[in-house]
Amino acid sequence: MSEFVSSVITGLGTGAVYGLLAVSFVIIFRATGVLNFAQPGLLILGAFFCSYFAVSIGLPFFLAVVLAMGVVALIGIVVERIAIRPMVGRPVFAAALVTVGLFTILLILAFRLFDSVARTVNDPWQLNQVCLVAGETGCAIPVFHNTIARFVISMAVLGALGWWLTRSRIGLAMRATSLDQETALAQGIDVGRIFSLSWAIGGALAALSGILLAANGSVVQATDALFALVVLPALIIGGIDSIKGAVVGGLLVGLISSITSTYQPVYAPWLGPNFENVAPYLVMILVLLIRPYGLYGTKEVQRV
């Protein structure tokens, strides 16, 4: 039982970060209609700049996090203005291919910045633990500090973002743009500004996700950018245009991966190593068979 509880807690911690990263995809998708494949590049740049500010310069960790998010948000704005804005009115597939090219460029940039050197983000939690439930021979359910931090920080940021989107004028403008860009323009909303803002928010959230994933006492390198692709099942399970679905999908993927990692080697070793990376995709396929638009995705009716 203690093993199951530990697995669930670990899954929720990681799943909260998946949800945060999935929301970064959704914010950009809802504003522009483009699935941004450049997010992995923004994620790893966030981890790099946090490492640079916290380790190389020696700034306090949380100040380094804020600065790294700001830098990546600016990169997102520049990328949107230079590469994505000219694609307005073009087929969505063409714009998506541009983001694939941007991912390649950002990944090459990350390799240049890392210079084949593994870095750390100098997080304040490291591998410290807290005992959730004490046992007769010691701690029955230990929980890493970084697991708690991941969950609390991710949920706090997502809660604040949700409140801002529903209460502020800019947030309402973003929601209006996501529903209908032409109508939003007719109402006087600067759609171009909303595009830039969505990329800034998406970049900042991706950077924070990269930092939280790297803040586990281990090292981070440029190839870790590909880790962001793990969040694709969370996006599709929850619904690619739903913020709520992205959070739920992220938590589900985190739980599925953690529980599979705990029990599959014991009860189904014939499935092979690293099967926890495959399990979310199997669940994704099952969800799509039942709900093609995901758990919370918007249903679309096309007349032909």
Side-chain angles (χ1 to χ4, degrees), residues 145-165:
H145 286 184
N146 59 59
T147 298
I148 300 173
R150 285 175 174 178
F151 184 83
V152 172
I153 293 174
S154 297
M155 290 296 104
V157 170
L158 290 172
L161 178 64
W163 180 88
W164 182 75
L165 287 175

Side-chain angles (χ1 to χ4, degrees), residues 6-244:
S6 296
S7 180
V8 168
I9 293 173
T10 301
L12 288 175
T14 305
V17 183
Y18 290 162
L20 188 68
L21 183 57
V23 168
S24 75
F25 278 89
V26 172
I27 289 289
I28 294 175
F29 179 81
R30 289 181 59 167
T32 65
V34 176
L35 183 59
N36 180 25
F37 291 101
Q39 287 298 90
L42 298 176
L43 175 144
I44 200 61
L45 288 178
F48 170 81
F49 283 113
C50 182
S51 174
Y52 175 75
F53 291 131
V55 179
S56 300
I57 297 181
L59 296 178
F61 174 74
F62 290 104
L63 176 58
V65 171
V66 174
L67 290 175
M69 291 174 65
V71 171
V72 177
L74 288 175
I75 292 174
I77 292 174
V78 172
V79 165
E80 186 278 330
R81 191 67 184 87
I82 295 176
I84 302 300
R85 190 75 62 87
M87 299 301 295
V88 173
R90 304 288 181 86
V92 174
F93 179 71
L97 285 180
V98 170
T99 66
V100 174
L102 287 172
F103 164 64
T104 304
I105 294 171
L106 292 175
L107 188 59
I108 292 173
L109 175 61
F111 272 105
R112 295 287 186 180
L113 292 174
F114 276 86
D115 195 25
S116 301
V117 176
R119 307 177 67 99
T120 67
V121 297
N122 201 27
D123 66 276
W125 307 293
Q126 298 296 326
L127 296 177
N128 297 325
Q129 293 180 331
V130 61
C131 186
L132 189 64
V133 177
E136 296 180 357
T137 59
C139 185
I141 304 179
V143 181
F144 286 104
H145 286 184
N146 59 59
T147 298
I148 300 173
R150 285 175 174 178
F151 184 83
V152 172
I153 293 174
S154 297
M155 290 296 104
V157 170
L158 290 172
L161 178 64
W163 180 88
W164 182 75
L165 287 175
T166 55
R167 299 300 177 88
S168 70
R169 294 184 63 181
I170 297 178
L172 292 174
M174 290 185 68
R175 294 174 63 195
T177 302
S178 69
L179 293 174
D180 193 318
Q181 294 177 9
E182 293 183 359
T183 303
L185 277 171
Q187 296 297 319
I189 296 174
D190 188 344
V191 174
R193 181 186 176 193
I194 297 301
F195 283 1
S196 295
L197 182 60
S198 68
W199 271 79
I201 295 174
L205 293 180
L208 180 58
S209 301
I211 294 167
L212 291 176
L213 290 172
N216 60 358
S218 64
V219 297
V220 60
Q221 48 193 348
T223 53
D224 292 335
L226 299 176
F227 186 84
L229 299 179
V230 177
V231 82
L232 290 179
L235 268 175
I236 297 173
I237 289 172
I240 199 169
D241 62 343
S242 171
I243 292 178
K244 179 181 178 181

